[in-house]
Coordinates of all heavy atoms in Angstrom, one line a residue:
Q81 N -54.2 -42.3 9.4 CA -52.9 -41.7 8.9 C -51.8 -42.3 9.6 O -50.7 -42.6 9.0 CB -52.9 -40.2 9.2 CG -51.7 -39.5 8.7 CD -51.8 -38.0 8.8 OE1 -52.8 -37.4 8.7 NE2 -50.7 -37.3 9.1
Y82 N -51.9 -42.6 10.9 CA -50.8 -43.3 11.7 C -50.6 -44.7 11.1 O -49.5 -45.2 11.1 CB -51.1 -43.3 13.2 CG -51.2 -42.0 13.9 CD1 -52.2 -41.7 14.7 CD2 -50.2 -41.0 13.7 CE1 -52.3 -40.5 15.4 CE2 -50.2 -39.8 14.3 CZ -51.3 -39.5 15.2 OH -51.3 -38.3 15.8
E83 N -51.7 -45.3 10.8 CA -51.6 -46.7 10.3 C -51.1 -46.9 8.9 O -50.3 -47.8 8.7 CB -53.0 -47.4 10.4 CG -53.5 -47.5 11.9 CD -55.0 -47.8 11.9 OE1 -55.7 -47.9 10.9 OE2 -55.5 -47.8 13.1
N84 N -51.5 -46.1 8.0 CA -51.1 -46.3 6.6 C -50.6 -45.1 5.8 O -50.3 -45.2 4.6 CB -52.2 -47.0 5.8 CG -53.4 -46.2 5.6 OD1 -53.4 -45.0 5.6 ND2 -54.6 -46.8 5.4
G85 N -50.6 -43.9 6.5 CA -50.0 -42.8 5.9 C -51.0 -41.9 5.1 O -50.7 -40.8 4.6
T86 N -52.3 -42.4 4.9 CA -53.3 -41.6 4.2 C -53.5 -40.3 5.0 O -53.9 -40.4 6.2 CB -54.6 -42.4 4.1 OG1 -54.3 -43.6 3.4 CG2 -55.6 -41.6 3.3
P87 N -53.4 -39.1 4.4 CA -53.7 -37.9 5.2 C -55.0 -37.9 5.9 O -56.0 -38.3 5.3 CB -53.6 -36.8 4.1 CG -52.7 -37.4 3.0 CD -53.1 -38.9 3.0
H88 N -55.0 -37.5 7.1 CA -56.3 -37.6 7.9 C -57.4 -36.7 7.4 O -58.6 -37.0 7.7 CB -56.0 -37.4 9.4 CG -55.7 -36.0 9.8 ND1 -54.5 -35.4 9.7 CD2 -56.6 -35.1 10.3 CE1 -54.6 -34.2 10.2 NE2 -55.8 -33.9 10.6
E89 N -57.1 -35.7 6.7 CA -58.2 -34.8 6.2 C -59.0 -35.6 5.1 O -60.2 -35.4 4.9 CB -57.7 -33.5 5.6 CG -56.7 -33.6 4.5 CD -55.2 -33.7 4.9 OE1 -54.9 -34.1 6.0 OE2 -54.4 -33.3 4.1
I90 N -58.3 -36.5 4.4 CA -59.0 -37.3 3.4 C -59.8 -38.4 4.0 O -61.0 -38.6 3.7 CB -57.9 -37.9 2.4 CG1 -57.3 -36.8 1.6 CG2 -58.6 -39.0 1.5 CD1 -56.1 -37.3 0.7
T91 N -59.2 -39.1 5.0 CA -60.0 -40.2 5.7 C -61.1 -39.6 6.5 O -62.2 -40.1 6.6 CB -59.0 -41.1 6.5 OG1 -58.3 -40.2 7.5 CG2 -58.0 -41.8 5.7
G92 N -60.8 -38.4 7.1 CA -61.8 -37.8 7.9 C -63.0 -37.3 7.1 O -64.2 -37.5 7.6
A93 N -62.8 -36.8 5.9 CA -63.9 -36.4 5.1 C -64.7 -37.6 4.6 O -66.0 -37.5 4.6 CB -63.4 -35.6 3.8
A94 N -64.1 -38.7 4.3 CA -64.8 -39.9 3.9 C -65.7 -40.4 5.1 O -66.8 -40.8 4.9 CB -63.8 -41.0 3.5
I95 N -65.1 -40.5 6.3 CA -65.8 -40.9 7.5 C -67.0 -40.0 7.7 O -68.1 -40.4 8.0 CB -64.9 -41.0 8.7 CG1 -63.9 -42.1 8.6 CG2 -65.8 -41.2 10.0 CD1 -62.7 -42.0 9.6
A96 N -66.7 -38.7 7.6 CA -67.8 -37.7 7.9 C -68.9 -37.8 6.9 O -70.1 -37.7 7.3 CB -67.2 -36.3 7.8
K97 N -68.7 -38.0 5.6 CA -69.8 -38.2 4.6 C -70.7 -39.3 5.0 O -71.9 -39.1 4.9 CB -69.2 -38.4 3.2 CG -68.6 -37.2 2.6 CD -68.1 -37.5 1.2 CE -67.6 -36.3 0.5 NZ -67.2 -36.5 -0.9
R98 N -70.2 -40.4 5.5 CA -71.1 -41.5 5.9 C -71.9 -41.1 7.1 O -73.2 -41.3 7.1 CB -70.3 -42.7 6.1 CG -69.7 -43.3 4.9 CD -69.1 -44.7 5.1 NE -68.1 -44.8 6.2 CZ -66.8 -44.6 6.0 NH1 -66.3 -44.4 4.8 NH2 -66.0 -44.7 7.1
I99 N -71.3 -40.5 8.1 CA -72.0 -40.2 9.3 C -73.0 -39.1 9.0 O -74.2 -39.1 9.5 CB -71.0 -39.8 10.4 CG1 -70.2 -41.0 10.9 CG2 -71.7 -39.1 11.6 CD1 -69.1 -40.7 11.8
L100 N -72.6 -38.0 8.3 CA -73.5 -36.9 8.0 C -74.8 -37.3 7.2 O -75.9 -36.9 7.5 CB -72.8 -35.8 7.2 CG -71.7 -35.1 8.0 CD1 -70.8 -34.3 7.1 CD2 -72.2 -34.3 9.1
A101 N -74.6 -38.2 6.2 CA -75.7 -38.7 5.5 C -76.7 -39.4 6.4 O -77.9 -39.2 6.3 CB -75.2 -39.6 4.3
D102 N -76.2 -40.2 7.2 CA -77.1 -41.0 8.1 C -77.6 -40.1 9.3 O -78.6 -40.6 9.9 CB -76.3 -42.2 8.7 CG -76.1 -43.2 7.5 OD1 -77.0 -43.5 6.8 OD2 -74.9 -43.7 7.4
C103 N -77.1 -39.0 9.5 CA -77.6 -38.1 10.5 C -78.6 -37.0 9.9 O -79.1 -36.1 10.6 CB -76.5 -37.3 11.2 SG -75.6 -38.4 12.3
G104 N -78.9 -37.2 8.6 CA -80.0 -36.3 8.0 C -79.5 -35.1 7.3 O -80.3 -34.3 6.9
F105 N -78.2 -34.9 7.2 CA -77.7 -33.7 6.4 C -78.0 -34.0 4.9 O -77.9 -35.2 4.5 CB -76.2 -33.5 6.6 CG -75.9 -32.9 8.0 CD1 -75.7 -33.8 9.1 CD2 -75.8 -31.6 8.1 CE1 -75.4 -33.2 10.3 CE2 -75.5 -31.0 9.4 CZ -75.3 -31.9 10.5
D106 N -78.4 -33.0 4.2 CA -78.6 -33.2 2.7 C -77.3 -33.2 2.0 O -76.2 -32.9 2.5 CB -79.6 -32.2 2.2 CG -79.1 -30.7 2.2 OD1 -77.9 -30.5 1.9 OD2 -80.0 -29.8 2.4
T107 N -77.4 -33.5 0.7 CA -76.2 -33.7 -0.2 C -75.3 -32.4 -0.2 O -74.1 -32.5 -0.1 CB -76.6 -34.1 -1.6 OG1 -77.4 -35.3 -1.5 CG2 -75.4 -34.4 -2.5
E108 N -76.0 -31.3 -0.3 CA -75.2 -30.0 -0.4 C -74.5 -29.7 0.9 O -73.3 -29.3 1.0 CB -76.1 -28.8 -0.7 CG -75.4 -27.5 -0.8 CD -76.3 -26.3 -1.1 OE1 -77.6 -26.5 -1.2 OE2 -75.8 -25.2 -1.2
E109 N -75.2 -29.9 2.0 CA -74.6 -29.7 3.4 C -73.4 -30.7 3.6 O -72.3 -30.3 4.1 CB -75.6 -30.0 4.5 CG -76.7 -28.9 4.5 CD -77.8 -29.3 5.5 OE1 -78.3 -30.4 5.5 OE2 -78.1 -28.4 6.4
I110 N -73.6 -31.9 3.2 CA -72.5 -32.9 3.3 C -71.3 -32.5 2.5 O -70.1 -32.6 3.0 CB -73.0 -34.3 2.9 CG1 -74.0 -34.8 3.8 CG2 -71.8 -35.3 2.7 CD1 -74.8 -36.1 3.4
E111 N -71.5 -32.0 1.3 CA -70.3 -31.6 0.5 C -69.6 -30.4 1.1 O -68.4 -30.3 1.1 CB -70.8 -31.3 -0.9 CG -71.1 -32.5 -1.7 CD -70.0 -33.6 -1.7 OE1 -68.9 -33.3 -1.9 OE2 -70.4 -34.8 -1.5
I112 N -70.4 -29.4 1.6 CA -69.8 -28.2 2.3 C -69.0 -28.6 3.5 O -67.8 -28.2 3.7 CB -70.9 -27.2 2.6 CG1 -71.5 -26.6 1.3 CG2 -70.3 -26.1 3.5 CD1 -72.7 -25.8 1.5
I113 N -69.5 -29.5 4.3 CA -68.9 -29.9 5.6 C -67.6 -30.7 5.2 O -66.5 -30.5 5.8 CB -69.8 -30.6 6.5 CG1 -70.9 -29.6 7.0 CG2 -69.1 -31.2 7.7 CD1 -72.1 -30.3 7.6
A114 N -67.8 -31.7 4.3 CA -66.7 -32.5 3.9 C -65.6 -31.7 3.3 O -64.4 -32.0 3.5 CB -67.1 -33.6 3.0
D115 N -65.9 -30.7 2.5 CA -64.9 -29.8 1.9 C -64.1 -29.1 2.9 O -62.9 -28.9 2.9 CB -65.6 -28.9 0.9 CG -64.5 -28.0 0.1 OD1 -63.6 -28.6 -0.4 OD2 -64.7 -26.8 0.2
A116 N -64.8 -28.6 4.0 CA -64.2 -27.9 5.1 C -63.2 -28.8 5.8 O -62.1 -28.4 6.1 CB -65.2 -27.4 6.1
I117 N -63.6 -30.1 6.0 CA -62.7 -31.1 6.6 C -61.5 -31.3 5.7 O -60.4 -31.4 6.2 CB -63.5 -32.4 6.9 CG1 -64.5 -32.1 8.0 CG2 -62.5 -33.5 7.3 CD1 -65.5 -33.2 8.2
L118 N -61.7 -31.5 4.4 CA -60.6 -31.7 3.5 C -59.6 -30.5 3.5 O -58.4 -30.7 3.3 CB -61.1 -31.8 2.0 CG -61.6 -33.2 1.6 CD1 -62.3 -33.2 0.3 CD2 -60.5 -34.2 1.6
C119 N -60.1 -29.3 3.7 CA -59.2 -28.1 3.7 C -58.7 -27.6 5.0 O -58.1 -26.6 5.1 CB -60.0 -27.0 3.0 SG -60.4 -27.3 1.3
H120 N -59.0 -28.4 6.1 CA -58.7 -27.8 7.4 C -57.2 -27.7 7.7 O -56.8 -27.1 8.7 CB -59.4 -28.6 8.5 CG -58.8 -29.8 9.0 ND1 -59.0 -31.1 8.5 CD2 -57.9 -30.0 10.1 CE1 -58.3 -32.0 9.1 NE2 -57.6 -31.4 10.1
R121 N -56.3 -28.3 6.8 CA -54.9 -28.1 7.0 C -54.3 -27.2 5.9 O -53.1 -27.1 5.8 CB -54.2 -29.5 7.0 CG -54.7 -30.4 8.1 CD -54.1 -31.7 8.1 NE -52.6 -31.7 8.3 CZ -51.8 -32.6 7.8 NH1 -52.2 -33.6 7.2 NH2 -50.5 -32.5 8.1
N122 N -55.1 -26.7 5.1 CA -54.7 -25.9 3.9 C -54.7 -24.4 4.3 O -55.8 -23.8 4.4 CB -55.6 -26.2 2.7 CG -55.2 -25.4 1.5 OD1 -54.4 -24.5 1.5 ND2 -55.8 -25.8 0.4
S123 N -53.5 -23.8 4.4 CA -53.5 -22.4 4.9 C -54.0 -21.4 3.8 O -54.3 -20.3 4.2 CB -52.0 -22.0 5.2 OG -51.2 -22.1 4.1
D124 N -54.3 -21.9 2.6 CA -54.9 -21.0 1.6 C -56.3 -20.6 2.0 O -56.8 -19.6 1.5 CB -54.9 -21.7 0.2 CG -53.5 -21.9 -0.4 OD1 -52.6 -21.2 0.1 OD2 -53.4 -22.7 -1.3
V125 N -57.0 -21.4 2.8 CA -58.3 -21.0 3.2 C -58.4 -20.2 4.5 O -59.5 -19.8 4.9 CB -59.2 -22.3 3.4 CG1 -59.2 -23.1 2.1 CG2 -58.8 -23.1 4.6

Side-chain angles (χ1 to χ4, degrees):
Q81 181 173 327
Y82 296 133
E83 292 163 5
N84 68 24
T86 304
H88 74 275
E89 62 272 25
I90 294 171
T91 57
I95 294 165
K97 283 182 177 184
R98 291 192 304 269
I99 292 173
L100 293 167
D102 291 315
C103 288
F105 287 88
D106 67 35
T107 304
E108 181 182 0
E109 292 174 310
I110 291 168
E111 289 307 314
I112 290 168
I113 295 165
D115 184 53
I117 292 169
L118 277 170
C119 293
H120 84 272
R121 297 179 65 205
N122 180 350
S123 62
D124 292 343
V125 304

